[in-house]
Amino acid sequence: MVKLNISLIEKKCLHQQLQKSLTKEIDKDHLKKLTHLFMNEQYIDQIDEFGVCNNLRVIYLQKNFIKKIKSLDFAVNLTHLYLQHNEITKIEKLDRLVNLKKLYLGYNNIAVIEGLEKLINLTDLHVEKQRLAPGECLCFDPRSAKTLSYGLVHLNISKNKIISLNEINNFQKLVTLEAKDNLINNIADLTETVISLERLEHLLLQGNPVTKIRRYRENIIANSYSLGSLNLPPAFKRSVSRAMFQNIIPKFSFPGISIVGDAQPQIIPPWKSATSIKAEKDNHVLPRPFWKNKRESSKRNCFPGQIVSFSSFT
């Protein structure tokens, strides 16, 4: 097999130089000036020392045979690291990469998300489709999960036999969550997670058992602070959630709101306002339900939310 070292990098740089010009010489300081290293599909099975390349920003090492992450302590300026399609079993020795923003580890043999406690600038993490042993599922080490909860924006954990998403509850900045083709089947547990992800805008759940539950989409959207931007009051969200699973005959619909792929508008069962609420002008209490048949309602837009299409929620 092949070791990633200075000699291999020099050969790669020389080959690239020959493709650009006829000269067979490269600048003696060329390795120090390198910002991008393309070593994908080079049959590499081991990472050796190449600390002279201390100005690297991006390293491409996908589609090799690497089993261990090591010898990268020097790359303190690194922002992107591509290690997908290898044979890595453990996330380790990345503590010094404090400027790392995007980490790609899909298609490896990783069972635990760990070793990321020092990566406070990480915004993108891709660990999809790990080759797991029978009975295993991808899980998060609590220390790494705590660090990720403060800054992670995009997370891909698809195809990892995951049963629950409660390990990523309260990820404060998470915008995109890809969790396709897992084993998620508990709607209440999923709803709890979605409620805690206050900035979530894109949620992908295709291929999970939970998607077969009647009205699962409406329930998730109604309980989310950001999916669909309905911004319903908490009491209304709870009422919508309860009504959806009580087999109440639907009577009302939200005009202008649809989920891509549905032939008919989504019908939402009605809920009752609390008996203690009275329409008092000066006390600023909740208004009467917006579907009440009043003459003046026809003169204005009675639905407080905005017209949206949930194209990113699947």
Side-chain angles (χ1 to χ4, degrees):
M1 290 294 182
V2 181
K3 285 186 179 182
L4 175 60
N5 52 28
I6 295 296
S7 177
L8 182 63
I9 296 173
E10 286 179 340
K11 289 179 181 179
K12 182 73 172 179
C13 292
L14 180 58
H15 177 70
Q16 292 174 342
Q17 181 68 22
L18 290 173
Q19 290 180 328
K20 296 178 181 179
S21 66
L22 296 177
T23 178
K24 294 183 179 181
E25 295 183 359
I26 59 175
D27 186 351
K28 63 179 180 180
D29 293 327
H30 181 72
L31 296 182
K32 294 182 179 180
K33 297 177 182 178
L34 274 180
T35 58
H36 291 63
L37 181 61
F38 297 87
M39 299 302 294
N40 46 300
E41 298 186 80
Q42 298 296 311
Y43 301 97
I44 296 169
D45 69 327
Q46 186 175 342
I47 303 175
D48 207 348
E49 297 291 338
F50 57 106
V52 66
C53 307
N54 55 13
N55 201 36
L56 284 172
R57 300 291 193 277
V58 182
I59 298 179
Y60 295 92
L61 282 169
Q62 67 269 33
K63 294 187 178 180
N64 284 295
F65 299 93
I66 299 168
K67 295 181 179 180
K68 289 187 177 182
I69 305 173
K70 64 175 185 176
S71 303
L72 295 176
D73 291 348
F74 71 92
V76 294
N77 296 313
L78 202 66
T79 60
H80 295 61
L81 179 58
Y82 296 82
L83 284 166
Q84 61 268 45
H85 291 279
N86 278 284
E87 298 179 5
I88 298 168
T89 58
K90 185 178 181 180
I91 306 174
E92 58 184 340
K93 299 183 179 179
L94 296 177
D95 291 349
R96 297 289 299 277
L97 309 186
V98 293
N99 291 305
L100 194 65
K101 294 181 179 179
K102 298 187 178 184
L103 178 59
Y104 295 83
L105 290 166
Y107 298 85
N108 278 284
N109 306 323
I110 298 167
V112 182
I113 306 297
E114 58 185 339
L116 304 178
E117 300 91 271
K118 301 295 180 63
L119 304 189
I120 57 176
N121 292 306
L122 195 67
T123 61
D124 290 53
L125 178 61
H126 299 257
V127 284
E128 71 278 12
K129 202 170 184 179
Q130 300 300 310
R131 295 182 287 270
L132 300 169
E136 279 189 328
C137 66
L138 186 71
C139 61
F140 285 75
D141 176 82
R143 294 167 296 182
S144 291
K146 183 177 180 180
T147 299
L148 295 174
S149 69
Y150 296 128
L152 203 66
V153 177
H154 304 283
L155 175 62
N156 187 349
I157 51 176
S158 298
K159 298 185 178 181
N160 284 309
K161 305 178 183 178
I162 296 172
I163 299 175
S164 171
L165 295 176
N166 56 22
E167 290 182 328
I168 63 170
N169 284 4
N170 300 308
F171 273 37
Q172 299 174 5
K173 296 185 178 180
L174 195 64
V175 173
T176 301
L177 173 58
E178 295 184 51
K180 299 181 291 185
D181 298 309
N182 281 298
L183 303 175
I184 302 167
N185 60 4
N186 189 319
I187 186 65
D189 187 66
L190 176 60
T191 301
E192 180 182 350
T193 296
V194 171
I195 291 173
S196 74
L197 304 177
E198 297 186 0
R199 297 192 181 184
L200 188 66
E201 296 178 5
H202 308 285
L203 176 61
L204 292 92
L205 293 170
Q206 302 101 311
N208 284 278
V210 72
T211 61
K212 298 180 180 180
I213 296 176
R214 184 172 179 267
R215 292 180 175 174
Y216 94 95
R217 290 186 182 183
E218 294 92 326
N219 181 72
I220 296 301
I221 292 169
N223 283 282
S224 171
Y225 290 96
S226 50
L227 286 174
S229 301
L230 292 182
N231 296 321
L232 298 175
F236 281 11
K237 291 181 182 181
R238 290 192 295 270
S239 297
V240 171
S241 181
R242 285 196 300 267
M244 286 176 183
F245 297 99
Q246 291 175 354
N247 295 320
I248 300 175
I249 299 176
K251 296 181 180 179
F252 304 97
S253 63
F254 290 166
I257 297 182
S258 65
I259 299 178
V260 171
D262 289 352
Q264 301 295 331
Q266 293 304 308
I267 305 300
I268 307 298
W271 58 78
K272 297 180 180 180
S273 56
T275 56
S276 60
I277 297 178
K278 297 181 179 179
E280 298 179 6
K281 181 177 180 180
D282 297 329
N283 292 337
H284 302 288
V285 297
L286 288 175
R288 298 182 65 184
F290 58 80
W291 56 81
K292 288 292 184 180
N293 185 16
K294 299 180 67 176
R295 292 182 180 180
E296 60 269 24
S297 64
S298 61
K299 299 180 182 181
R300 65 178 185 274
N301 181 11
C302 59
F303 180 61
Q306 61 182 18
I307 297 177
V308 294
S309 177
F310 305 120
S311 59
S312 61
F313 177 76
T314 52

